[in-house]
Structures are given as C-alpha cells and as structure tokens.
Amino acid sequence: MDNWVNGNHQGVIAEVKVADALMNENQLLELVEEKDNCLLLVLDGVTDPHNLGACLRTADAAGVDAVIIPKDRSATLTAVARKVACGAADYVPVVKVTNLARYLSQLKELNVWIIGTAGEATSDVYQTKFSGATALVMGAEGSGMRRLTRENCDQLIKIPMAGSVSSLNVSVATGVCLFEIVRQNRS
C-alpha cells in the first residue's frame, strides 16, 4: 500500500465507481410521455459548477425528475459540482442536450409547460398557477436566458424583490421557484 498511496493510507483501500444519474435526450422524452406531472429543471448558461451542484441538490429535495443542461457553455458534473450537490448528482438525472431551444420545442409537443424566469417578467412566481407537466427554466446570473431559450418559453415569471439588489443567486432563485411549484402541487 505504501507504493500505491502518497501519504498516510491508514491500511485501507477501496475501489470506487462514480454512478452518474445521466440520461440521454430520448430517454427523458420517453419519461415525459410516461409520467403525467413531470417536473423538469432547465439550466441555461449556468457555468459555475458550484451553482450547478447547488441546483442539483435543490432539485433532488424538490423531487425534480431531471435537470436539463446544454452540452456547450454550461457547467458539467465536475468534482466541485458533485461535492456541492451532496450526493444529489447520483440520483437526479442530468440530461445534456445539443440544442436547448429545439429540445424545449420537443417538450412543448409533449404538453410540458415551459416557464422561464426573467427579472422583467410581469407575473411573479406567487401569482402563477402551476399544474401538470412543467419545465422551469433558469438563466445564467447576469445575462439570464439566451434569446432562443426565452422565445421557447410559454410564460415568463419573476421573483418579487423588496431589497436593493436586483436578483438572487441562481441556485437560491431555483429553490424559491421549485418549492413554490411543489407547494402548489401538494395543495
């Protein structure tokens, strides 16, 4: 063991296999067809692995069926994201899609209501009635959702802000929105 490990090994060796909960685009479409009231989280342009991990952890707590991220210009399941997710990366399927706007259109064809978050929206999360299959789209901090992603949303909502800052961290905003959806669906 001394030859295998640099430092103190304490006499223990373990073989570990990372069990990703990855799902491909077609598998998610099949899940959406089978499940009546699926709840999806879409992260558009979230590049910080800390935020991805925190969103995964929140998604798991809220019972999200899958998290959708673009293949490009997006954080991936790095060691940092996994650590912040506190195990949620092993349970919440992550679906990497090649073309997010096209994929949102496919979800709409399966009767998934696409709700995007934007600071300039006229409806707030607490005025919105959530029911049925829903995909919540969260944009990157600062730039928000990309134009084509925004155009594929059925509705835009915002979180009412009372203080001086204009927005929340994306993982905090995700928690606020997801748990309002969960609250309404449990009522």
Side-chain angles (χ1 to χ4, degrees):
M1 281 196 238
D2 291 333
N3 294 336
W4 293 341
V5 178
N6 221 359
N8 186 1
H9 55 71
Q10 298 181 350
V12 177
I13 294 177
E15 186 175 326
V16 178
K17 181 181 178 190
V18 176
D20 285 335
L22 294 175
M23 181 183 283
N24 69 39
E25 296 178 29
N26 292 329
Q27 289 171 321
L28 179 55
L29 293 175
E30 290 171 9
L31 174 77
V32 169
E33 285 179 329
E34 293 170 6
K35 190 167 183 180
D36 290 332
N37 293 325
C38 67
L39 178 56
L40 307 173
L41 174 61
V42 181
L43 301 176
D44 183 25
V46 174
T47 57
D48 183 343
H50 291 92
N51 283 334
L52 174 60
C55 287
L56 281 169
R57 187 174 181 181
T58 301
D60 181 56
V64 167
D65 294 297
V67 174
I68 301 168
I69 60 174
K71 282 186 179 173
D72 298 321
R73 297 186 196 121
S74 177
T76 58
L77 286 176
T78 62
V80 170
R82 288 179 175 289
K83 182 176 182 180
V84 174
C86 295
D90 298 335
Y91 299 103
V92 179
V94 175
V95 181
K96 292 181 182 180
V97 298
T98 304
N99 185 320
L100 185 56
R102 183 178 66 224
Y103 199 75
L104 291 176
S105 293
Q106 290 177 292
L107 290 172
K108 287 168 81 168
E109 289 173 11
L110 296 174
N111 298 317
V112 176
W113 190 251
I114 312 294
I115 298 177
T117 53
E120 70 278 0
T122 55
S123 298
D124 76 45
V125 65
Y126 304 111
Q127 297 169 329
T128 304
K129 300 295 179 215
F130 299 100
S131 64
T134 305
L136 176 67
V137 183
M138 303 300 295
E141 289 181 41
S143 59
M145 291 180 287
R146 293 175 292 172
R147 182 183 58 82
L148 290 175
T149 303
R150 178 186 300 266
E151 289 174 4
N152 276 286
C153 291
D154 295 306
Q155 180 179 5
L156 294 177
I157 62 170
K158 66 180 177 183
I159 298 171
M161 302 292 290
S164 300
V165 296
S166 61
S167 66
L168 296 171
N169 173 281
V170 68
S171 63
V172 173
T174 296
V176 170
C177 294
L178 282 178
F179 278 96
E180 176 58 16
I181 295 170
V182 169
R183 185 192 68 77
Q184 286 189 27
N185 287 335
R186 286 187 180 159
S187 298

